[in-house]
Amino acid sequence: MPKYKNLTAPQKVSLLLYHGIPIYQSLQMLKTSNGLMNTLATNGANKYDFTVQNAGEVVTLETKVTTATITGTVKDEEPLVVYKINKVLLPRELFKAVQKAPAPKGAKVVADGPAADAPSDESVDQTADNNGVNKIDGGRLAVVALSLFYGVVMFS
């Protein structure tokens, strides 16, 4: 997809690592807690985090760009848990944040910071579909990111 094609190699790694967290969190633990969650992409001054929100049995992962819902558990064997999510999580550090209100007519929006170099695409809502053709499924991306992390931890 054009949105991901324009990312540099380090940005692609950050996007993958953004889908992993450094500690074990069962679904039950996520259902009983709200707040910021640090990710594996965080390093030094670059804080890649998202917000966990729950409403009863529904757990959502919110960034400034997109909101994903946990739709299932792929694997849950401590110390590793892999969830399937319905959207790719897009960190604000790499992608432009969604504007809540449209800019006044004739006004030009100027971006700054890391998101200014990010690929632009009006459609930031990346709902995963099941056809698997030329799209990154959020669940598969989470599996890849967490598998990568698990492999590094186990073989380091």
Side-chain angles (χ1 to χ4, degrees), residues 6-8 19 26 29 31 35-36 45 50 54 59 63 84 87-88 93-94 97 108 118 122 128 133 135 148 151-152:
N6 294 329
L7 293 174
T8 64
H19 286 77
S26 70
M29 293 165 76
K31 287 179 182 179
L36 282 179
F50 55 78
N54 60 64
V59 178
T63 73
K84 182 175 182 181
K87 296 179 186 176
V88 175
E93 293 82 2
L94 299 177
K108 205 173 204 180
E122 295 301 317
V133 178
K135 290 196 177 187
L148 174 67
V152 169

Side-chain angles (χ1 to χ4, degrees), residues 60-125:
T60 58
L61 309 174
E62 301 174 358
T63 73
K64 299 284 185 194
V65 182
T66 189
T67 299
T69 302
I70 295 177
T71 59
T73 302
V74 176
K75 181 178 181 95
D76 188 355
E77 293 180 23
E78 197 169 345
L80 175 69
V81 62
V82 179
Y83 298 113
K84 182 175 182 181
I85 55 177
N86 68 338
K87 296 179 186 176
V88 175
L89 294 173
L90 302 175
R92 65 177 159 68
E93 293 82 2
L94 299 177
F95 298 92
K96 294 179 182 175
V98 176
Q99 289 184 343
K100 299 292 183 193
K105 191 173 183 176
K108 205 173 204 180
V109 176
V110 178
D112 60 348
D117 297 329
S120 63
D121 182 0
E122 295 301 317
S123 155
V124 296
D125 191 14

